[in-house]
Every structure is written in C-alpha cells, then in structure tokens.
Amino acid sequence: MQWRHRRESLRAILAGSLCVRPASVYDAISARIAEDLGFEMGMFGGSTASLAVLGDPDLVLITLTELAEQVRRMSRAGALPVLVDADHGYGNALNVRRTVQELEAAGAAGLTIEDTLLPQAYGAAGPQLISIEEGIGKMKAALDARCDPGLVIMGRTGTRGGGPAAAALNDAIARAKAYEAAGVDALFFTGLKTRAELQAIASATTLPIALGNTEGELADMDFLASQRVRIAHQGHAPFAAATQAVYDTLKALRDGVAPKDLKGLPSRDLTARLTREDDVNARAAATLGLKT
C-alpha cells in the first residue's frame, strides 16, 4: 500500500510502552516541519481544519471533501503519520463509511470517529452524545469501510453529556467498552481531568488510549504511559502561533515597516529546506534541462 509505512508507524506507537505527544499539523508546511523536527506523528484536529480551510470556528461547517483534500496535501508533502479527527463521520453510519474511504485514500494513518451529536442540536445547552447503539453502528461501519487493515480506527468519546461527574464517567466507560467490543483499534477520550478518571477507564478497558486533554493531573507522561496512554495531545498551539505571526507581520507592513526590517521571518536556508528546494531543482535539471 502507498501509505503502509506511516500506518505501521502509528500502530507501532499504539503497540509500544511509551506515551508520545503528537505535533498539531494543519497543512503541508506544518506537516513537513513536524517531520523534520522528529515528531513521531501528527494530529490534524477538526478545529484547526475548520480554521485552516474556512477561517471558521469549530462548528462542523467544513465538508468531508474539504477535509480529505487537506489531508491529501499533507500526505503528499512527506511521510509523517497523521491521525485525523474525522468528527462524527459527517453524518450517520453510511456517511461514516464514505468518510473512512475518502480519508484512507487521502493518506491518513488513522482516524477518530466520535459519538458526539453533530452539528449541535437546536436549543441544546451544550454538546450531546448519540446513543451507544448508534455509536456502535458508526464504529462497525468505519471498520467495515477500510480497505487497508493497517489504517487505525479510534473510537472517540468523552465525559460530557451533563449530569453528575460520576454518571458521565460511567457513561464514557460503557461507551468505550462497547466500541472496544465492536473492534476498534484504540480509544480516544476527551474531557478527562483527573488521574482517578483515567485509572477507572484503563481498568475497564484493554486497548491503547489517546487523550485530548493532558493538563493538570494528566501532565505526567510516565503516569500516562503506565495507564496505556500512547498518545497525549496538547492542543493546537502551532496554528495559534502562526496566526499571531501573520497578524503581526501584516500589521507591521501596514504600519509602514520595511520588509527588510521585519522580525521573526524564516531564514533562506529554512525556507529552502522546508520547500525541498534542492529536490525540486534536481528534478528540474533532470527533466527540463534547467541549470540551478
């Protein structure tokens, strides 16, 4: 398979004994930067996808076609294994099938399919979850849709849904056990805040775990590893930093700063390296007879 190596790399992380922090990536250049810096994997979040493609907040306004095309661009740019936030699969279980097919073909190393009711229901005070039965159907559809058995399918849920914290945690555990029984490769949790919550989930399940929040009590990587957490996400700071840098640069230019006096610009060598300029020039010389 064209994407086999990156999927094998992600599976090796899940099968290992260490917990890694993925790079938050959102386009070809950010994926190349992460790969060059030695990150084991990348994470393409739904929120950054919406920001990078549409400039909109994370309200599930991005389409599957737009998401898949952005994944394809990142896959083409390098060999970094990227775990893609596929949200709710863009609809029901049949839509999940289409989502998996498109993202698999685009080169994703793995996907997360969540059981959040999306888009948010009219009049709802906060995020809601679909029934466990519908969630199981989505997981089964995702597993059945993949052509490459190396593609990682993660069942994603959270301790949301309202009510007492204990009830929410119990619901998350019940969903995780159901998705594990359905055959997913790993479990992704959002909303966990304490060690006790993670320990309860780890005790009730057997699959590798990925976490969307690893602050406070969940910042200790050794502890996370001991609880089978193999992927510990730490937000999308790179996109936020890039936004601030673009804003500052454009403001400086608008205020009359000369381009030569701008601060924080990449060196010529860094730009050449990230754009793979030497490789492009070599191909141009070999196929077009161009001299560099």
Side-chain angles (χ1 to χ4, degrees), residues 37-100:
L37 289 174
F39 276 89
E40 296 88 348
M41 61 172 290
M43 176 74 189
F44 185 33
S47 58
T48 51
S50 184
L51 289 168
V53 176
L54 302 178
D56 286 336
D58 189 15
L59 299 174
V60 199
L61 299 177
I62 191 173
T63 66
L64 169 59
T65 301
E66 291 167 329
L67 178 71
E69 190 57 39
Q70 194 73 348
V71 172
R72 189 172 290 108
R73 293 185 182 106
M74 288 190 286
S75 298
R76 171 193 168 276
L80 182 75
V82 177
L83 176 64
V84 179
D85 176 2
D87 283 320
H88 63 322
Y90 293 87
N92 63 23
L94 296 180
N95 298 109
V96 169
R97 284 187 55 85
R98 173 75 189 282
T99 295
V100 171

Side-chain angles (χ1 to χ4, degrees), residues 233-274:
H233 190 41
Q234 52 184 347
H236 301 294
F239 188 92
T243 300
Q244 186 66 56
V246 171
Y247 181 89
D248 291 344
T249 300
L250 288 175
K251 186 177 185 303
L253 290 169
R254 182 64 174 172
D255 291 344
V257 176
K260 64 181 180 63
D261 295 326
L262 291 172
K263 306 297 184 182
L265 299 184
S267 67
R268 177 70 182 84
D269 288 344
L270 177 59
T271 301
R273 186 165 71 250
L274 293 177

Side-chain angles (χ1 to χ4, degrees), residues 9 11 14 16 35 50 60 77 80 101 107 122 157 159 167 172 183 197-199 210 240 257 274 286-287:
S9 296
R11 285 188 172 273
L14 296 177
E35 184 176 1
S50 184
V60 199
L80 182 75
Q101 291 167 345
Y122 175 80
T157 193
T159 58
E197 289 173 336
L198 176 57
Q199 288 171 319
V257 176
L274 293 177
T287 59

Side-chain angles (χ1 to χ4, degrees), residues 280-290:
V280 174
N281 288 340
R283 295 189 193 102
T287 59
L288 297 175
L290 300 181

Side-chain angles (χ1 to χ4, degrees), residues 7 47 53 62 126 128 130 176 189 197-198 203 217 225 238 279 288:
R7 290 168 184 164
S47 58
V53 176
I62 191 173
Q128 297 177 309
I130 59 177
F189 295 93
E197 289 173 336
L198 176 57
S203 297
E217 290 187 26
D279 293 339
L288 297 175

